[in-house]
Amino acid sequence: MKLLTGIVLRIMVKNRHPRKDQLRHERIKYELARRGLSLAQIARQAGVGISAVSSVSIGRSRSTKIEQHLASALNMDAAQLFPERYPDTSKGAPK
């Protein structure tokens, strides 16, 4: 957790008000590292370039395939990792 705190502090120094996407990107990299993984390994598994994985992780682009690979590596659903990209459609559904 100390490492993550340092990462967050570096982001805040660079960008007085870090975006949620930047914090999530750093958290993804941190959690992958805890599991002995990296964005490069996720890219190889997904059959895409590391820049594509990084772009999705940062929030610059979308790829369901990459989102699912990242989430799977973190033992999560893509909707948990990227909730704004997967709105809960059951909320507005009639009962």
Side-chain angles (χ1 to χ4, degrees), residues 9-51:
L9 288 175
R10 279 198 311 266
I11 292 171
M12 292 182 81
V13 168
K14 285 171 90 175
N15 311 313
R16 293 195 172 204
H17 303 286
R19 292 180 37 205
K20 185 172 96 173
D21 290 340
Q22 291 171 312
L23 295 175
R24 177 175 46 214
H25 177 66
E26 293 302 326
R27 181 67 185 207
I28 288 170
K29 291 192 309 184
Y30 171 78
E31 291 296 336
L32 287 171
R34 283 185 56 212
R35 292 163 171 80
L37 297 169
S38 67
L39 292 176
Q41 289 171 300
I42 299 301
R44 280 192 293 278
Q45 291 172 1
V48 298
I50 188 172
S51 61

Side-chain angles (χ1 to χ4, degrees), residues 22-90:
Q22 291 171 312
L23 295 175
R24 177 175 46 214
H25 177 66
E26 293 302 326
R27 181 67 185 207
I28 288 170
K29 291 192 309 184
Y30 171 78
E31 291 296 336
L32 287 171
R34 283 185 56 212
R35 292 163 171 80
L37 297 169
S38 67
L39 292 176
Q41 289 171 300
I42 299 301
R44 280 192 293 278
Q45 291 172 1
V48 298
I50 188 172
S51 61
V53 175
S54 186
S55 183
V56 169
S57 177
I58 291 170
R60 286 191 195 129
S61 63
R62 285 210 55 189
S63 165
T64 303
K65 175 182 173 179
I66 294 171
E67 290 165 6
Q68 290 173 346
H69 276 275
L70 285 167
S72 177
L74 301 176
N75 297 319
M76 303 174 77
D77 290 329
Q80 291 173 296
L81 188 57
F82 301 99
E84 72 285 356
R85 299 177 185 184
Y86 296 87
D88 184 6
T89 56
S90 66

Side-chain angles (χ1 to χ4, degrees), residues 1 4-5 52 72 78 80:
M1 191 55 121
L4 183 59
T5 303
S72 177
Q80 291 173 296

